[in-house]
Amino acid sequence: MRIPRLFAVLCSFLLLAAGHASAEVQIKEIEAGEGDRAAMHHTLHVHYTGWLEDGTQFDSSHDRGEPLRLVLGHGQVIPGWEMGLEGMKEGGKRELVIPPHLAYGSRGAGGVIPPDATLRFEVELVRVEGPAYSNVSNAELEALLESGVTLIDIRRPDEWQQTGVLEGSVLLTAFDEQGRFNPAFPAELNRLVERDESFAIICRVGNRTAFLSQAMAEQGGYENVHNVTEGIMGWIESGKSVTRSCPELTFGARC
């Protein structure tokens, strides 16, 4: 089940921040599957059928003859689906029973799903595709920086001031406090790196960069995007250094 993009992104961030309270989704393994395992940032192709508690079917991809395509962890589906799909293997089937607060809540949806509805789905994971970008750890980021790869910090100026930044990083704010995309970002990125050039992007904890990395790779045509999965907070918590002596913590500055 798709949800509007803005609400989807917010749901994704809230879901990740909540630490995946998967115990709140009832998951029944119907078939285990033997293929690749679904993980965050992977593209999944999923066949599904959904029912209300009274047994009324409200949607099915089988009726349309093609599976739903989604990127796990990017908030393109309801939170209960994000939780229920993670860890599935290609070829597997599960039954998911999703409470209202992890589905459509008190709003309901489209005149088809009433407010405060518990939903039941049977989902089949048809295919798993790896992300169109790479996820890198702190150790891998260090190796990239040593090889001369550009690191772009996409956070806001107040965040740069709060934590400091990695020495040598380029400061390019991608989203404002309300989550609105910065229209100056694409042109500056295009000026900074070539489509086939290797570069890394970092935010606070890896949420914003995961979403942006996918867009850069699929829509922007950038072939070698590296998402720092632990963000700068993970970098700092692991005892690695940052600098606060950058002359200017402004858009486009290199520290």
Side-chain angles (χ1 to χ4, degrees):
M1 294 294 294
R2 291 191 180 277
I3 54 179
R5 175 169 289 275
L6 177 58
F7 183 68
V9 175
L10 293 174
C11 278
S12 177
F13 290 169
L14 290 171
L15 173 61
L16 290 165
H20 285 208
S22 56
E24 298 180 354
V25 176
Q26 297 177 40
I27 300 174
K28 178 182 178 182
E29 205 80 47
I30 299 173
E31 294 181 23
E34 297 181 353
D36 293 336
R37 188 180 298 274
M40 286 293 148
H41 319 300
H42 285 188
T43 297
L44 311 183
H45 298 258
V46 182
H47 262 311
Y48 69 93
T49 301
W51 297 269
L52 302 177
E53 282 187 289
D54 64 4
T56 301
Q57 180 181 311
F58 59 83
D59 194 14
S60 177
S61 64
H62 297 282
D63 295 340
R64 294 184 290 277
E66 62 178 339
L68 173 67
R69 179 183 182 275
L70 63 105
V71 181
L72 191 64
H74 289 206
Q76 296 171 340
V77 290
I78 57 177
W81 260 49
E82 298 269 14
M83 299 172 183
L85 291 173
E86 187 174 7
M88 282 189 74
K89 286 187 176 182
E90 192 173 85
K93 290 184 180 180
R94 284 179 176 178
E95 180 184 79
L96 309 178
V97 178
I98 302 175
H101 69 284
L102 295 175
Y104 294 94
S106 60
R107 301 174 300 112
V112 177
I113 298 174
D116 299 315
T118 295
L119 307 179
R120 180 171 66 88
F121 291 93
E122 184 174 295
V123 295
E124 176 187 358
L125 185 52
V126 178
R127 189 162 83 253
V128 177
E129 300 172 4
Y133 58 93
S134 68
N135 290 303
V136 297
S137 65
N138 289 334
E140 290 168 322
L141 175 60
E142 279 189 301
L144 287 171
L145 295 177
E146 288 175 4
S147 70
V149 167
T150 298
L151 174 64
I152 301 172
D153 191 322
I154 71 162
R155 297 177 299 153
R156 303 184 307 271
D158 62 297
E159 294 178 288
W160 299 329
Q161 292 169 358
Q162 182 181 39
T163 65
V165 299
L166 272 72
E167 188 171 356
S169 59
V170 180
L171 310 183
L172 295 181
T173 300
F175 304 97
D176 67 13
E177 290 183 356
Q178 284 73 46
R180 294 173 297 204
F181 187 60
N182 179 4
F185 183 88
E188 190 64 19
L189 178 67
N190 187 55
R191 183 195 65 78
L192 184 65
V193 295
E194 300 292 335
R195 290 296 193 277
D196 61 352
E197 183 178 346
S198 182
F199 67 97
I201 59 175
I202 192 168
C203 64
R204 186 174 184 273
V205 293
N207 293 352
R208 283 168 285 180
T209 49
F211 178 78
L212 188 58
S213 294
Q214 187 76 19
M216 286 176 168
E218 291 194 346
Q219 301 169 29
Y222 291 95
E223 300 173 8
N224 292 293
V225 185
H226 305 286
N227 168 45
V228 182
T229 57
E230 299 171 67
I232 198 162
M233 297 307 294
W235 179 267
I236 293 170
E237 287 167 6
S238 65
K240 301 185 186 299
S241 64
V242 294
T243 180
R244 296 177 182 272
S245 60
C246 184
E248 286 189 283
L249 291 174
T250 58
F251 184 84
R254 183 185 289 269
C255 292

